Amino acid sequence: MRKRVAIACGVVTLAAAVLFGVAAQAANPVVTAIYTADPAPLVVGDTMYIYTGRDEASSTGQNFVMREWHVLSSTDAATWTDRGVRANIATFPWAGADAWASEVEPRNGRYYWYTSINGNGAGWMNIGVAVGDSPLGPFTDAKGGPLISDSTANSSGLNIDPTVFVDDDGQAYMYWGGYWAPRAVRLASNMVDTVGAVVTPTGLTNYWEAPFMFKRNGLYYMIYAANDTNGCVTSSSYACQRYATATNPMGPWTHRGIVLGQVSSTTNHAGVVEFNGQWYMVYHNANAPGGGNFRRSVAVDRMYFNSDGTIQRVVQTTTGPPSNPGGPTTPPTSGTNIGPSATASTSYVSSWESLAAVNNGGTPANSQDRSNLAYGNWPQQGTQWIEYQWPSARSLNRVATYWFDDNQGIDVPASCQVQYWNGSAYVAVPGQSACGVAGNTFNSTTFNTVSTTRLRLSIVSRAGLSTGVLEWQAFQS
């Protein structure tokens, strides 16, 4: 399985580390102290990194001002720490300007940072590469000059946005290019030389820029920015993210559709990674306070595959993904689950599913596990609910929910809320922690103890989808 990133490299100072080593709260954009752009992810061990450029344009600026790259890190994909400047233009002595998008690729215990940067010589943008011994560097120029430049035979109309992928057999590949001109080449095992001719890949329908390559279940995926108005964007000044698949890393590619719609900035640059069993897309938009087309910010949202390997369109959120620290998917053990003693009811249940699933005491193997029945409310959309009722008041302070996802019309929800009956109406339980919506695990939600005869789980579906539950546990304090 491929783990990825995209930006550039360099050396961080102690002052920068102190200034930016502060964790941000879970939300999109993931950091707002600075503007960040052109992100791409890399997973190393239990940490997810995002390598990102920094936008420094003024609020009235009408062009990109980018001179350095930062690294963000998280151990749960929800709460992020800016690890400061890890590279800048000075990392490359042959370069003079424009610290644009790039990507890090690990190999043989080292980390290679492929960058889009303007050299001091003839031509405009080049692709450089730096190397470090850890995901945070320090990084140094690995080649002493461009890996790709305007003088490279069959180079792109704009040599930017490298994405590098090392296949299972050890062969490395690089894709890049702007101005509707994707290019690809094999890399040598030293990761700083090319092997063979630069080729023009086929099948990347409506390609504009910003490729990102990964592999899943033996299939190669390429996401990329497109700016056509054929279902992609409302104006060609903006971009969406299309994707294509191939059975060979050099193609030919087969276009599959749109994976991320138009964002609030004119540019659209994204990357994909699997972390703790969940797939994520990182991208940028203009949603941070004071943001704009040249003051962008990185966001993270979950990404889902259908059973046939196609990708569902990513839902852009302002909340970001729920915490996903990994670990076992067994239910919490503290307290007593009194869900099985309750009478369950619901706003709607599909005729072929069973409400009895929610409190029959099952422990699902994953979100597709029907072995202990499944509750689903297809074809209903929007807000639905399930509810427990006891003959007398119970003191409750926690629930744990295992969501049902049939990889068809039922999916994990966009959000949820735990509510209780206060004697006259349903209200949110006080002191409620995040109502998690991760698949393939029990999502525990704690709250201040309430005494009630009725507890409800209000569920809001993702656009165009319905929701379901395999088990809903309610814990007595």
Side-chain angles (χ1 to χ4, degrees):
M1 179 200 63
R2 176 75 167 112
K3 315 223 193 262
R4 308 296 313 277
V5 351
I7 292 339
C9 47
V11 181
V12 64
T13 66
L14 177 62
V18 172
L19 176 60
F20 292 105
V22 178
Q25 297 300 310
N28 275 332
V30 298
V31 295
T32 56
I34 61 172
Y35 297 106
T36 52
D38 302 327
L42 172 69
V43 169
V44 180
D46 63 356
T47 302
M48 179 175 167
Y49 297 93
I50 295 177
Y51 296 77
T52 175
R54 179 183 179 184
D55 276 343
E56 299 183 69
S58 70
S59 59
T60 58
Q62 294 299 307
N63 209 338
F64 297 110
V65 179
M66 305 183 74
R67 296 173 291 191
E68 62 189 34
W69 297 271
H70 285 235
V71 181
L72 315 178
S73 69
S74 177
T75 56
D76 64 2
T79 305
W80 292 88
T81 299
D82 183 350
R83 306 302 291 270
V85 181
R86 297 289 161 166
N88 55 37
I89 293 170
T91 303
F92 302 92
W94 51 269
D98 299 330
W100 287 6
S102 54
E103 182 177 317
V104 169
E105 178 67 16
R107 185 165 190 174
N108 298 326
R110 308 199 81 191
Y111 297 83
Y112 294 86
W113 204 335
Y114 297 85
T115 70
S116 310
I117 196 162
N118 193 346
N120 284 315
W124 186 15
M125 296 301 294
N126 305 290
I127 293 173
V129 57
V131 65
D133 292 328
S134 84
L136 295 175
F139 291 90
T140 57
D141 187 9
K143 191 173 177 65
L147 175 62
I148 299 292
S149 69
D150 285 350
S151 63
T152 302
N154 194 36
S155 65
S156 173
L158 184 61
N159 292 307
I160 59 171
D161 300 349
T163 181
V164 176
F165 170 82
V166 178
D167 209 351
D168 300 333
D169 62 2
Q171 178 60 61
Y173 302 84
M174 183 170 73
Y175 281 75
W176 76 97
Y179 291 161
W180 307 283
R183 296 292 186 265
V185 72
R186 289 176 173 84
L187 295 179
S189 59
N190 65 9
M191 302 296 280
V192 299
D193 292 313
T194 61
V195 176
V198 171
V199 302
T200 302
T202 61
L204 300 178
T205 302
N206 296 121
Y207 176 95
W208 165 244
E209 62 182 7
F212 188 93
M213 185 178 177
F214 66 99
K215 186 179 183 180
R216 176 182 180 269
N217 294 342
L219 190 64
Y220 302 91
Y221 290 78
M222 186 74 73
I223 65 171
Y224 55 91
N227 65 348
D228 63 281
T229 55
N230 184 26
C232 172
V233 290
T234 56
S235 162
S236 59
S237 296
Y238 288 81
C240 70
Q241 286 281 325
R242 293 187 176 274
Y243 80 104
T245 60
T247 56
N248 185 291
M250 293 293 275
W253 297 90
T254 300
H255 176 252
R256 297 297 184 185
I258 296 170
V259 67
L260 180 69
Q262 180 174 316
V263 296
S264 53
S265 58
T266 50
T267 56
N268 194 333
H269 194 118
V272 169
V273 74
E274 185 180 18
F275 179 66
N276 290 342
Q278 172 66 55
W279 286 87
Y280 296 90
M281 175 171 282
V282 302
Y283 58 99
H284 67 226
N285 56 36
N287 290 359
N293 293 329
F294 308 107
R295 292 155 65 91
R296 301 158 294 178
S297 295
V298 170
V300 179
D301 276 307
R302 290 169 299 173
M303 190 177 81
Y304 298 93
F305 290 84
N306 298 311
S307 57
D308 62 358
T310 56
I311 310 175
Q312 298 177 18
R313 190 178 295 206
V314 171
V315 175
Q316 300 177 44
T317 73
T318 57
T319 57
S323 177
N324 178 17
T329 60
T330 54
T333 56
S334 60
T336 301
N337 173 26
I338 61 171
S341 67
T343 300
S345 58
T346 181
S347 54
Y348 184 85
V349 60
S350 308
S351 60
W352 56 91
E353 306 291 9
S354 174
L355 179 61
V358 302
N359 64 340
N360 64 4
T363 301
N366 53 58
S367 286
Q368 292 77 47
D369 183 7
R370 293 176 176 267
S371 60
N372 289 301
L373 303 177
Y375 158 79
N377 50 49
W378 193 90
Q380 305 302 310
Q381 298 178 24
T383 301
Q384 300 294 319
W385 52 263
I386 56 176
E387 177 185 311
Y388 285 159
Q389 184 168 356
W390 293 272
S392 59
R394 301 291 190 269
S395 294
L396 302 158
N397 64 1
R398 181 162 61 89
V399 300
T401 311
Y402 208 113
W403 300 106
F404 176 41
D405 175 3
D406 68 357
N407 285 322
Q408 298 181 65
I410 292 176
D411 208 336
V412 297
S415 64
C416 56
Q417 184 185 66
V418 183
Q419 303 171 339
Y420 79 106
W421 182 256
N422 67 3
S424 58
Y426 272 105
V427 296
V429 293
Q432 182 171 175
S433 67
C435 190
V437 292
N440 303 314
T441 190
F442 275 96
N443 295 264
S444 183
T445 303
T446 60
F447 44 90
N448 298 339
T449 299
V450 295
S451 179
T452 185
T453 58
R454 288 190 256 171
L455 198 68
R456 176 176 287 191
L457 183 63
S458 178
I459 310 166
V460 180
S461 70
R462 300 170 67 214
L465 296 165
S466 300
T467 52
V469 173
L470 294 178
E471 190 72 21
W472 187 40
Q473 300 174 329
F475 290 89
Q476 185 167 269
S477 60

